[in-house]
Amino acid sequence: METHKLKIVFFGTPEFAVASLDNILQNGFEVAAVVTMPDKIAGRGHKLIESDVKKYAREKGLRVLQPEKLKSPEFVETLREINADIFVVIAFRMLPEIVWSMPPKGTFNLHASLLPRYRGAAPINRAVMNGDTVTGVTTFFLKHEIDTGDIIEQKSIEILPEDNAGDVHDKLMALGAEMVVDTLKKIEEGSVHTVPQPEGDHIPAPKIFKETCKIDWNSPASVIHNHVRGLAPYPAAWTEYFEEKNPDMAAEMKIFETAIVDSTPLETLSPGEVVVLKDRLLVAASDKLIEILSLQPAGKKRMEASAFLRGYNPLRFQ
């Protein structure tokens, strides 16, 4: 294994960041500390939940810092005492300038899009929701405005028609882990050549909320299909549905997989109206039928549409 002189502080929280942290260690770099989110209380048992990055760091015996406030004098002084050469940031909070400007070789971020496209918190979801066929990863140096710094490296992948956001996440996680190490080696060698992000070509990728995930059945089938792909498997697109036995009472359902049905005429159907063909569940969009392949009614487990139809008789979605 190569030995490297760079001393690194790594900032990250979810699984997406773990792959890069692992690759940094596998390539012989020194990680002096890992900064991650404070533990959260969650679930019915009110248990403390540790971030994926914290779990991995503890397994590897790395020093873990979990500041409540990134500007706190204690945290800033701790970082100064570590005296790292560079900070690496992946899927973390926005850093204050007092932090990102500290290391002599700068602070760089791995972002899951081809910047300047999809600046923001949910670039993977938004790319698939918008029906993009190409995406990628970017490393760039941090500066004041979020996701606007000078680009170090970019690599792209194809988004396949059958890919959902989870599939793209996993591909970019692996690709990003390779590129983070490439970027560190270039910084160490002094061979980095950055380029400014082009102006005017960015698409916002804001955080996903529950209302973002609701399906609009008045949309074209292709828009609905991409909406479902872009939110699967998590947090998942959802809709309300009405059953024959209780036509005035709406219930919620998550939808994970769909297909577009081209062959059925829609003249007599309104958006959201249901057609059941044997064990197939079809719903009218504005232009075509959408077949629902897998779903999860509220309070139940995920299931195939055929299993759902054995216990439910849906009339319409909204």
Side-chain angles (χ1 to χ4, degrees), residues 120-224:
I124 297 173
N125 301 98
R126 298 289 180 176
V128 182
M129 290 165 76
N130 289 342
D132 288 9
T133 57
V134 175
T135 189
V137 283
T138 303
T139 51
F140 67 97
F141 284 114
L142 262 59
K143 68 176 192 180
H144 291 281
E145 297 81 12
I146 191 165
D147 296 339
T148 61
D150 290 352
I151 292 168
I152 306 166
E153 285 193 84
Q154 288 189 321
K155 291 182 180 177
S156 63
I157 60 161
E158 186 180 359
I159 302 177
L160 301 175
E162 64 271 20
D163 282 342
N164 64 21
D167 299 321
V168 176
H169 169 280
D170 291 351
K171 292 177 186 179
L172 294 182
M173 182 169 65
L175 186 65
E178 294 175 8
M179 200 168 74
V180 163
V181 168
D182 290 344
T183 297
L184 283 170
K185 288 178 179 177
K186 286 181 178 176
I187 289 169
E188 187 174 51
E189 295 161 1
S191 61
V192 165
H193 299 287
T194 60
V195 295
Q197 292 189 34
E199 295 293 328
D201 191 32
H202 88 277
I203 300 173
K207 187 176 178 179
I208 303 283
F209 295 98
K210 184 177 179 182
E211 275 309 305
T212 317
C213 302
K214 190 172 184 184
I215 296 170
D216 179 3
W217 295 101
N218 292 295
S219 301
S222 61
V223 170
I224 295 170

Side-chain angles (χ1 to χ4, degrees), residues 47-285:
K47 294 181 180 177
L48 275 179
I49 306 297
E50 298 177 338
S51 74
D52 292 326
V53 163
K54 180 181 178 182
K55 290 174 188 173
Y56 175 86
R58 288 177 62 195
E59 284 173 15
K60 298 297 181 182
L62 300 174
R63 182 181 182 184
V64 176
L65 305 175
Q66 294 179 275
E68 290 284 347
K69 295 182 178 178
L70 297 172
K71 289 183 179 179
S72 76
E74 296 82 5
F75 175 61
V76 171
E77 185 55 33
T78 299
L79 287 179
R80 284 205 179 100
E81 288 172 358
I82 291 170
N83 196 29
D85 299 298
I86 191 160
F87 294 167
V88 178
V89 183
I90 303 174
F92 193 68
R93 291 180 281 174
M94 187 174 176
L95 295 185
E97 184 175 1
I98 195 171
V99 172
W100 61 255
S101 65
M102 187 183 299
K105 292 188 180 294
T107 297
F108 79 84
N109 178 252
L110 173 73
H111 188 73
S113 82
L114 296 172
L115 288 172
R117 203 168 171 83
Y118 298 116
R119 291 176 181 159
I124 297 173
N125 301 98
R126 298 289 180 176
V128 182
M129 290 165 76
N130 289 342
D132 288 9
T133 57
V134 175
T135 189
V137 283
T138 303
T139 51
F140 67 97
F141 284 114
L142 262 59
K143 68 176 192 180
H144 291 281
E145 297 81 12
I146 191 165
D147 296 339
T148 61
D150 290 352
I151 292 168
I152 306 166
E153 285 193 84
Q154 288 189 321
K155 291 182 180 177
S156 63
I157 60 161
E158 186 180 359
I159 302 177
L160 301 175
E162 64 271 20
D163 282 342
N164 64 21
D167 299 321
V168 176
H169 169 280
D170 291 351
K171 292 177 186 179
L172 294 182
M173 182 169 65
L175 186 65
E178 294 175 8
M179 200 168 74
V180 163
V181 168
D182 290 344
T183 297
L184 283 170
K185 288 178 179 177
K186 286 181 178 176
I187 289 169
E188 187 174 51
E189 295 161 1
S191 61
V192 165
H193 299 287
T194 60
V195 295
Q197 292 189 34
E199 295 293 328
D201 191 32
H202 88 277
I203 300 173
K207 187 176 178 179
I208 303 283
F209 295 98
K210 184 177 179 182
E211 275 309 305
T212 317
C213 302
K214 190 172 184 184
I215 296 170
D216 179 3
W217 295 101
N218 292 295
S219 301
S222 61
V223 170
I224 295 170
H225 178 63
N226 289 335
H227 184 81
V228 171
R229 290 171 60 222
L231 294 165
Y234 180 83
W238 65 279
T239 187
E240 292 178 319
Y241 68 97
F242 297 83
E243 276 202 275
E244 195 172 82
K245 63 185 179 185
N246 203 348
D248 298 319
M249 181 77 69
E252 283 189 15
M253 170 197 293
K254 290 181 178 179
I255 297 178
F256 300 99
E257 291 177 279
T258 57
I260 298 172
V261 180
D262 288 320
S263 57
T264 307
L266 287 183
E267 286 82 6
T268 60
L269 297 175
S270 301
E273 198 168 339
V274 169
V275 178
V276 176
L277 297 177
K278 294 185 179 178
D279 60 353
R280 296 174 66 194
L281 175 58
L282 310 178
V283 186

